[in-house]
Amino acid sequence: LPVYPLTEGVTADTVRRAVIAALPAAKHLLEPLPLKLREKYDLIGLQEAIAHIHFPPDRPSLDTARRRLVFDEFFYLQLGLLRRRVELRQGTEITQSAASLTLGSSSQLIDRFYQVLPFSLTNAQQRVVEEILVDLAKSAPMNRLVQGDVGAGKTVVAVVAILAAIQSGYQAALMAPTEVLAEQHYHKLVTWLNLLQLPVELLTGSTGAAKRREIHAQLTTGELPVLVGTHALIQDTVNFHQLGLAVIDEQHRFGVHQRAKLQQKGVGGVCHVLSMTATPIPRTLALTLHGDLDVSQIDELPPGRQAIQTTILSSKERTHAYDLIRREIVSGQQVYVVLPLVEESEKLDLKSAIEEYQKLQEVIFPEFQVGLLHGRMSSAQKEEAIEQFRANKTQVLVSTTVVEVGVDVPNATVMLIENAERFGLSQLHQLRGRVGRGAAQSYCLLMSHPKATADAKQRLGVLENSQDGFAIAEMDMQLRGPGAVLGTRQAGLPDFVLASLVDDKEVLIMARDAAERVIAKDPTIDLFPVMKAELERRFDRLLGGSILT
């Protein structure tokens, strides 16, 4: 018997009687999927699936009905995302009448860069660079997302793409979500590009008026090939001579319109886009969220990176943690102490942070300098706290918020996370990535609350045993669901009725394959009018917006 979600005043019997009365109408449903496609993926017909999902004669009939309907949910989402990608490319090709964005395969600059680089790229980096260079050589603009664990070397890959743009006579821009992150990228790019005699400038909210005017002028004439910055890059006063490539770091931190605004500063209103994120997400989730992007994974860390020694500690073992911290600071290293959100109330959260900061500074480590970073500080205060830590003026940094993604202090070797069971695995893995960025052995101490459940401690054990961000994200998705992996339950996830990203992974991969075949045969989907009508109806409901412009 089917079990339906009910509302007050409506009984299960009422719903069942209504369904029984409506089911005969299912025989008028048109079948949107061609017979060949259904045979290839072993799918039953739509009418049979609708009948059997409500009143199956046996368990296998229910399973095959559910499989077909789950396939449909995934298939139309993937078809819509792929169709969106085709439209973007077609639309931009038309606007490009005069200027072709094809970046030539000549690579003198890239070859010179490899010669001055003090290390070799990993196999994963080389693979992703190849994928990017193939994209850049096409007339349609690239729209690629590079996923990689903290420290996997995404920036080097972005620099190769920037050099390919410069080699072909174009400019490049790199946009980051915070001033701290933008400055970090700027310093890295200056180090590398100065060796090739290429100027780089930084544009943020803090840039002075005179410097800003100078940057604007050099951009317009084309003498400045690379500009790094924050949201300041998308202001109307910023005009490029010939922007060919936009690199967007931590792309999920920017809105769709902000990303589009940077792209529109390109030649003829378009440019190649390379997005980067240090948040590894499972492949099924990447397909669902970024199905209209090409996704590359840097799934290998550079050689010489030591695994971060991760240990779960109970509150009784706190003295061990403090002893380790003391030893590390005495030998010249630094430490993060991270607190979870205690309550929804920021006031309580702030109180606990200030109390912890005072306790560590006055009682536990009076001989060292302790810094504080929390959500209610102004941007200037936050940057000051991070700068003090980076310069080793403070040896311990107490933080309530997730320590800024991308804060790179190679000297920090200990990450102590209080009440670690309150964080998701992916978030803990991100925090752990703040240490282990230098040559010294690093440690991550997961302090669990005395009342933490056995399940919570078992979950933390995943981190003790794995350093692979993609595997950890996959496990996190199984344990807590896809919304939690992304850090928010409303993270732009489609509203599925039956389909589950955790339980139906194989069906999603199959549906993606089927959608790619349909698009390859007919990018307009005009050959399949019933399928096209169904796509319009479903895509609108799944993502709250029409697919066809």
Side-chain angles (χ1 to χ4, degrees):
L1 272 180
V3 178
Y4 299 104
L6 302 173
T7 189
E8 195 178 342
V10 179
T11 64
D13 279 350
T14 307
V15 177
R16 283 190 197 116
R17 280 199 303 273
V19 171
I20 290 166
L23 270 181
K27 63 176 182 285
H28 300 298
L29 284 171
L30 294 173
E31 174 59 75
L33 301 185
L35 180 62
K36 271 188 177 172
L37 188 140
R38 295 207 313 274
E39 285 175 345
K40 177 168 179 55
Y41 297 104
D42 194 21
L43 300 166
I44 62 170
L46 181 61
Q47 293 182 13
E48 187 186 346
I50 295 287
H52 286 177
I53 197 73
H54 291 283
F55 296 102
D58 50 36
R59 182 77 213 192
S61 303
L62 175 63
D63 292 342
T64 54
R66 185 182 179 280
R67 185 171 177 274
R68 163 64 203 260
L69 296 174
V70 166
F71 176 90
D72 281 7
E73 287 198 275
F74 284 144
F75 173 72
Y76 291 109
L77 173 69
Q78 295 304 319
L79 193 63
L81 291 169
L82 290 169
R83 177 85 186 96
R84 187 193 273 172
R85 182 164 71 177
V86 168
E87 286 207 326
L88 177 74
R89 287 179 176 172
Q90 286 174 341
T92 49
E93 277 172 21
I94 295 160
T95 61
Q96 268 172 244
S97 49
S100 167
L101 265 178
T102 310
L103 303 188
S105 54
S106 161
S107 60
Q108 294 157 297
L109 264 182
I110 296 172
D111 289 343
R112 276 175 50 210
F113 177 58
Y114 287 153
Q115 284 163 15
V116 298
L117 205 58
F119 54 84
S120 301
L121 298 192
T122 63
N123 292 334
Q125 285 173 313
Q126 286 171 352
R127 185 187 71 243
V128 173
V129 162
E130 278 309 307
E131 289 168 353
I132 290 168
L133 294 179
V134 167
D135 281 355
L136 295 177
K138 294 174 183 168
S139 56
M142 168 174 76
N143 202 1
R144 185 170 286 278
L145 171 69
V146 175
Q147 285 196 111
D149 237 330
V150 171
K154 294 178 293 295
T155 314
V156 181
V157 167
V159 169
V160 176
I162 287 169
L163 293 174
I166 297 171
Q167 181 80 55
S168 299
Y170 290 98
Q171 292 164 296
L174 192 161
M175 183 164 75
T178 64
E179 290 203 7
V180 170
L181 206 43
E183 278 173 20
Q184 206 163 282
H185 281 305
Y186 170 69
H187 292 308
K188 229 174 223 176
L189 262 63
V190 166
T191 309
W192 289 334
L193 298 188
N194 274 1
L195 297 170
L196 304 172
Q197 285 78 53
L198 291 171
V200 185
E201 288 291 359
L202 175 68
L203 183 66
T204 68
S206 307
T207 307
K211 183 65 179 173
R212 195 176 288 264
R213 282 195 297 275
E214 184 189 322
I215 290 172
H216 287 173
Q218 290 180 345
L219 271 188
T220 313
T221 60
E223 62 190 292
L224 178 61
V226 185
L227 181 62
V228 179
T230 54
H231 301 75
L233 297 187
I234 58 178
Q235 290 171 344
D236 295 337
T237 48
V238 177
N239 295 301
F240 292 83
H241 174 61
Q242 270 204 315
L243 179 65
L245 171 70
V247 180
I248 302 174
D249 192 25
E250 291 303 326
Q251 56 97 33
H252 60 282
R253 304 268 295 272
F254 293 101
V256 175
H257 299 301
Q258 291 172 320
R259 299 202 296 263
K261 208 164 174 193
L262 182 59
Q263 194 173 5
Q264 285 155 10
K265 291 185 182 286
V267 181
V270 287
C271 65
H272 294 288
V273 178
L274 180 65
S275 303
M276 304 193 292
T277 177
T279 311
I281 61 173
R283 184 174 174 224
T284 47
L285 198 46
L287 278 180
T288 307
L289 290 172
H290 310 304
D292 51 346
L293 301 179
D294 296 302
V295 180
S296 295
Q297 289 189 355
I298 305 181
D299 47 11
E300 179 186 2
L301 285 179
R305 275 290 174 113
Q306 291 190 55
I308 298 161
Q309 202 172 307
T310 306
T311 314
I312 302 169
L313 298 174
S314 66
S315 49
K316 292 175 191 159
E317 298 167 297
R318 185 172 289 282
T319 51
H320 296 327
Y322 290 157
D323 289 346
L324 171 67
I325 287 171
R326 202 168 272 110
R327 276 202 309 275
E328 288 294 298
I329 296 176
V330 167
S331 64
Q333 314 295 350
Q334 289 165 275
V335 178
Y336 294 101
V337 176
V338 176
L339 307 167
L341 268 165
V342 177
E343 296 284 337
E344 289 304 307
S345 156
E346 275 190 29
K347 285 179 184 166
L348 278 169
D349 178 34
L350 186 61
K351 180 168 171 280
S352 73
I354 292 169
E355 281 173 3
E356 184 67 17
Y357 159 72
Q358 288 171 339
K359 183 180 93 175
L360 290 177
Q361 179 65 90
E362 293 165 16
V363 182
I364 314 291
F365 302 121
E367 69 273 38
F368 305 128
Q369 288 302 310
V370 180
L372 176 64
L373 181 66
H374 59 73
R376 297 192 110 183
M377 290 168 134
S378 67
S379 294
Q381 288 172 321
K382 281 181 191 167
E383 274 161 38
E384 171 68 11
I386 291 167
E387 203 42 61
Q388 293 276 325
F389 189 61
R390 192 179 279 138
N392 204 354
K393 290 179 181 167
T394 51
Q395 287 77 50
V396 179
L397 183 62
V398 177
S399 171
T400 55
T401 54
V402 174
V403 178
E404 188 62 62
V405 170
V407 173
D408 191 355
V409 181
N411 202 38
T413 56
V414 182
M415 166 64 72
L416 169 60
I417 303 171
E418 295 284 354
N419 295 352
E421 71 284 347
R422 288 177 181 243
F423 294 92
L425 291 181
S426 296
Q427 202 178 11
L428 288 169
H429 179 65
Q430 284 277 305
L431 286 169
R432 174 167 66 178
R434 296 297 114 231
V435 295
R437 301 174 82 83
Q441 173 66 57
S442 290
Y443 307 88
C444 177
L445 308 175
L446 304 172
M447 188 69 73
S448 65
H449 192 271
K451 291 181 181 168
T453 64
D455 280 356
K457 287 179 182 167
Q458 190 181 355
R459 199 164 56 81
L460 294 179
V462 173
L463 277 144
E464 265 192 325
N465 301 318
S466 177
Q467 304 270 331
D468 179 344
F470 290 99
I472 289 165
E474 192 76 55
M475 182 66 73
D476 210 10
M477 188 164 91
Q478 284 177 27
L479 292 168
R480 300 193 307 146
V485 173
L486 298 165
T488 164
R489 304 218 171 258
Q490 289 81 36
L493 281 168
D495 200 4
F496 296 125
V497 178
L498 286 175
S500 156
L501 290 176
V502 176
D503 302 326
D504 301 311
K505 287 187 281 201
E506 288 79 8
V507 183
L508 171 56
I509 303 298
M510 197 169 77
R512 173 70 173 196
D513 184 61
E516 283 173 343
R517 285 169 187 271
V518 170
I519 290 288
K521 185 165 185 176
D522 175 22
T524 63
I525 323 179
D526 289 339
L527 291 175
F528 310 100
V530 183
M531 185 191 291
K532 191 169 184 175
E534 184 67 2
L535 170 65
E536 270 290 87
R537 187 182 73 78
R538 283 183 178 251
F539 203 82
D540 200 33
R541 197 190 70 223
L542 268 175
L543 291 182
S546 177
I547 173 65
L548 302 174
T549 49

